[in-house]
Amino acid sequence: MKRFYLAFLVVLISAIGVSAQDKQSPQKFSPEKFDADLQEFIKKEACLTDAEADRFFPIYKEMQTKQRNVYGRQHHRGMQKPQDEKGCKKAIQERDKMELEIKHIQQTYHTKFLEILPATKVYDIIHAEDKFHRRMLRGWHNGGPSHKNNSQNQQRKEKTQK
């Protein structure tokens, strides 16, 4: 009888462990969903009309593609620490160049955005993008993307303040 209870207890603990792992497993990252959520967030936060969004987002995607290329090079370069002082110095200098390249891309595209949108909306877009990324990082840090929950919490706060 003791063996039966012991076997039952082992099966029960295993089942609970598997169930808990299923509930705690992080959602898989989908770049398409991330981009769609980012665009939706930016459009809402910057109060873009459909026409403005149609003009803006193709140029924005161009900028993102160029930035991702630099980020990819940066990531590849940073995978292994150089073994000597000279190598480390060169890696730091290359990283600095890539950071400047990213800023130059942003500056170039911000100028392009200003040609099609008012400065107030470009300003709001830049802040919305930063806000979205902060919320997503905070969500992943807490176990999964939660920008929608944060958005809902913000709406609740605004209602209670009125």
Side-chain angles (χ1 to χ4, degrees), residues 71-84:
Y71 289 135
R73 290 192 339 252
Q74 208 173 33
H75 177 72
H76 178 71
R77 180 70 180 136
M79 291 299 285
Q80 292 183 357
K81 181 180 176 181
Q83 298 298 318
D84 59 357

Side-chain angles (χ1 to χ4, degrees), residues 23 38 41 86 98 103-104 135 148 150 162:
K23 290 178 184 175
L38 174 60
F41 188 82
K86 186 177 177 182
M98 286 186 256
K103 285 298 178 188
H104 180 70
R135 285 183 178 189
K148 290 192 178 191
N150 287 336
K162 290 180 181 178

Side-chain angles (χ1 to χ4, degrees), residues 26-158:
Q27 296 174 349
K28 292 191 178 193
F29 178 74
S30 166
E32 295 81 16
K33 181 170 177 8
F34 181 88
D35 286 342
D37 289 347
L38 174 60
Q39 286 186 24
E40 177 186 326
F41 188 82
I42 287 173
K43 185 176 177 183
K44 179 183 166 202
E45 289 286 310
C47 301
L48 296 178
T49 65
D50 290 338
E52 289 171 331
D54 290 344
R55 286 190 318 258
F56 169 73
F57 283 112
I59 298 169
Y60 180 76
K61 286 180 186 179
E62 255 180 53
M63 179 184 77
Q64 284 185 313
T65 300
K66 288 183 180 184
Q67 287 177 320
R68 285 181 182 147
N69 288 335
V70 178
Y71 289 135
R73 290 192 339 252
Q74 208 173 33
H75 177 72
H76 178 71
R77 180 70 180 136
M79 291 299 285
Q80 292 183 357
K81 181 180 176 181
Q83 298 298 318
D84 59 357
E85 281 295 312
K86 186 177 177 182
C88 285
K89 182 178 179 180
K90 183 178 177 184
I92 292 167
Q93 291 169 340
E94 287 178 9
R95 180 181 171 90
D96 289 345
K97 285 180 186 176
M98 286 186 256
E99 291 287 334
L100 289 171
E101 187 177 346
I102 289 169
K103 285 298 178 188
H104 180 70
I105 291 168
Q106 287 177 337
Q107 185 179 32
T108 300
Y109 277 87
H110 290 170
T111 301
K112 290 182 180 186
F113 299 160
L114 289 167
E115 291 172 3
I116 61 169
L117 294 170
T120 53
K121 289 198 177 190
V122 173
Y123 183 90
D124 290 342
I125 288 167
I126 293 167
H127 283 277
E129 182 182 28
D130 290 344
K131 188 176 182 180
F132 179 84
H133 287 114
R134 279 193 310 274
R135 285 183 178 189
M136 291 301 288
L137 286 171
R138 190 177 320 126
W140 283 322
H141 177 71
N142 294 329
S146 65
H147 66 276
K148 290 192 178 191
N149 291 340
N150 287 336
S151 175
Q152 291 169 351
N153 290 340
Q154 182 66 28
Q155 289 172 355
R156 273 190 237 122
K157 286 180 185 176
E158 289 172 0

